[in-house]
Amino acid sequence: MDEGMFFKKLKGLDTSKEIFKFLRSLEIMSDIMASAALQRISKVEVDDSGLKNSGVLENEVFRALCFQFEYESSKLSNTGLLNALQALIKLRIDPQSSLMASLLSESQERLGKGQLSIKNLCDLGEALLELEGPSSATLEQILNRMQEKDIEKWSPSEMVMVYRMLQMSVREGEQYQDLLNRMNNVTLTIASQLSPKFMSIILNSLVVLHQTQAVPLVITLCKHSVKHVPYFTDDELVNVLEAFLYFGHREQIFTEALETHVPKSIFTMHPETVSKVMKYCCQKMILSKPIFDAVAEVFISDADGFTTNQIAEYIVPFGTLNYLPPSAPLLFGKLESILRTHFSQFQPHTLLNLLHSCVLIQRYPVNFLARIFSPYFLQQLQAQPHGLDRFVTSQLTQLFLTATLECPFYEGPKLPPKYQVKAFLLPGCSLDVHLLNRVKTGLLYLLKKRIYFASEVSTPYFYTVDIEIKLDEEGFVLPAAQCEEVHRRIALCVDGQNRFCINSHHLLGEEAIKQRHLKLLGYEVVQIPFFEIESLKNCRKVAAYLRKKIFPHAYGLRC
């Protein structure tokens, strides 16, 4: 039987019994065919828990194959030798046996003589990693041989194999950075030729090997990945998204490709893949309504089968990006139903993140606040790796303030004072100092003296006001330091681009809840968004804008 017919027939056999029967019908076969048979046996008889049926190793056909490989190892082709070695390792053949010793010895001899191709080197490397782990002494010799090869002559498949080999063996990549640099430069020239699978593998390797200096390659691969979005498998898409996140890259056309692909495919996508899509949108501050609406729909129908982490990863971005989908009542009804039945299964930090994200968009977890503020839950939080750090206590305090201001009917336990922060930690909504200075300059032009406004004012209510202006009962502006006769307090929210979703005028959840709470605390909130002020050319125009915005009728200064 010729090899093509043999491989086609072998591929259709799904049990070792069928394979052995097929092999008995052949009078002669090449070593490549015999090694392929061993590989097929290992594929059907080995799963994550190991060898399914140890009787396979006692089969007379199997033993005859092994005998031939052991005693004729020097006559084998490189492909036959290394395929057999890989298959026998997967079948858990004793590494100390004479069979394995013979194959390993022959492989190392050919390695020393420089007789192995790039594919052979990778196959041997993968076999040794499986057998001995990254500490294998021969791995260094294999990698040194790779460095001697002419990388520009490698095919895309060979390039991918070496990336994977480096990824599995050296992790950090520092020892072989010169080899990686050469590979990265050559890969840059063939990026457009890479298949979805190859592109995904290389991006994953660049992440694992911390190739932060390979920015041109990463950008090129990310751009070319756009055309593959509909064709990536779930695992491949996860690798690409992780690369975007790790290297801090964002492509508008990639987001548009996701917006087309995800809503059409979401009901067949693995929940972990959808979680990664939401993480990408959340970290990049991308409010994609088509994606979020589709995620809400699949959550409503399928969330009972999700892990607790997946549930949080689906929901938290809605709060972070301050978005309620059209199906919000059903979405949060489903979430409440899951929390009622699975509350105790959530990790404390995961649960806190989830409930905190809900209050950002005015979905109040009133039925669960008593359990969050209980001594037992707070002790659980404290026992976690990060404990009750300032970020966690900020979330707890904001939940407590929300219950106080927005849920007056809540009568359960309160958050003990020792867990409350003096000021919220809002890393995503920090002040745009340049924008703040422009506003302060405009106010100085308008109010003539610096005493009439204060910036970055701490309040007793945990929030920091960007700029505060005080007025008396008659509407005169008071000196900022004056505490008597204050009738109105104006809070200017100087909102830079970092307080909005990317490429939009849509406030993030943290800034939205801050402005909502300041209003409930008695402030008159005046929003000064970047997009209204960035086109004003001088401080006179800024002052005119501020006057219209803050004092639409008239104002005076109280000396």
Side-chain angles (χ1 to χ4, degrees), residues 317-331:
F318 285 93
T320 303
L321 303 187
N322 186 29
Y323 179 64
L324 285 172
S327 58
L330 291 173
L331 174 66

Side-chain angles (χ1 to χ4, degrees), residues 408-446:
F409 46 85
Y410 171 70
E411 296 178 350
K414 309 294 184 187
L415 181 67
K418 68 177 182 178
Y419 296 112
Q420 297 176 21
V421 292
K422 292 181 179 179
F424 288 131
L425 180 67
L426 306 174
C429 294
S430 56
L431 258 177
D432 181 331
V433 177
H434 175 69
L435 185 62
L436 179 69
N437 287 338
R438 287 200 69 195
V439 174
K440 285 162 68 174
T441 303
L443 280 174
L444 188 58
Y445 188 93
L446 178 65

Side-chain angles (χ1 to χ4, degrees), residues 162-188:
V162 180
Y163 271 116
R164 285 185 60 190
M165 174 76 190
L166 287 165
Q167 176 182 339
M168 290 186 293
S169 58
V170 296
R171 292 292 175 183
E172 294 296 331
E174 290 178 9
Q175 186 180 355
Y176 297 96
Q177 192 57 57
D178 286 345
L179 172 60
L180 275 164
N181 289 343
R182 289 162 56 208
M183 289 171 60
N184 294 342
N185 289 336
V186 174
T187 303
L188 191 58

Side-chain angles (χ1 to χ4, degrees), residues 87 148 186 215 221 224 234 242 312 378 404 424 478 511:
E148 297 169 3
V186 174
V215 174
L221 289 173
H224 283 294
D234 278 355
E242 284 179 341
L378 294 171
T404 305
F424 288 131
L478 296 170
E511 186 60 22

Side-chain angles (χ1 to χ4, degrees), residues 321-505:
L321 303 187
N322 186 29
Y323 179 64
L324 285 172
S327 58
L330 291 173
L331 174 66
F332 289 95
K334 183 69 173 182
L335 176 61
E336 181 163 8
S337 171
I338 289 170
L339 287 172
R340 284 184 185 280
T341 54
H342 300 292
F343 188 93
S344 61
Q345 295 174 20
F346 284 82
Q347 288 296 311
H349 280 153
T350 303
L351 188 60
L352 180 59
N353 280 334
L354 180 58
L355 298 185
H356 177 261
S357 71
C358 290
V359 301
L360 297 180
I361 43 178
Q362 297 177 275
R363 288 297 179 268
Y364 309 113
V366 179
N367 295 325
F368 307 102
L369 289 178
R371 296 169 78 169
I372 293 295
F373 296 148
S374 71
Y376 173 70
F377 184 80
L378 294 171
Q379 286 169 9
Q380 279 189 308
L381 273 177
Q382 200 154 17
Q384 299 300 301
H386 295 290
L388 287 165
D389 60 19
R390 193 175 164 203
F391 180 76
V392 170
T393 49
S394 287
Q395 288 184 317
L396 285 168
T397 307
Q398 201 162 42
L399 269 178
F400 166 67
L401 184 61
T402 301
T404 305
L405 295 176
E406 302 186 66
C407 308
F409 46 85
Y410 171 70
E411 296 178 350
K414 309 294 184 187
L415 181 67
K418 68 177 182 178
Y419 296 112
Q420 297 176 21
V421 292
K422 292 181 179 179
F424 288 131
L425 180 67
L426 306 174
C429 294
S430 56
L431 258 177
D432 181 331
V433 177
H434 175 69
L435 185 62
L436 179 69
N437 287 338
R438 287 200 69 195
V439 174
K440 285 162 68 174
T441 303
L443 280 174
L444 188 58
Y445 188 93
L446 178 65
L447 302 177
K448 308 307 179 190
K449 291 183 180 179
R450 181 66 178 80
I451 63 168
Y452 289 112
F453 63 91
S455 59
E456 300 179 73
V457 180
S458 296
T459 70
Y461 314 109
F462 318 111
Y463 290 109
T464 300
V465 174
D466 298 337
I467 294 177
E468 184 183 55
I469 298 172
K470 298 174 181 177
L471 291 87
D472 66 12
E473 194 169 358
E474 297 175 17
F476 285 93
V477 179
L478 296 170
Q482 186 170 324
C483 297
E484 300 81 22
E485 302 178 3
V486 178
H487 186 68
R488 294 162 57 198
R489 293 175 185 268
I490 298 175
L492 300 190
C493 293
V494 183
D495 294 331
Q497 290 190 29
N498 62 319
R499 292 182 178 178
F500 294 86
C501 298
I502 203 79
N503 297 333
S504 82
H505 298 167

Side-chain angles (χ1 to χ4, degrees), residues 49 140 158 170 220 222 265 331 344 387 392 411 417 423 521 549 557:
S49 58
E140 186 173 350
E158 289 171 336
V170 296
T220 300
C222 287
S265 311
L331 174 66
S344 61
V392 170
E411 296 178 350
L521 289 164
K549 194 92 175 181
L557 304 176

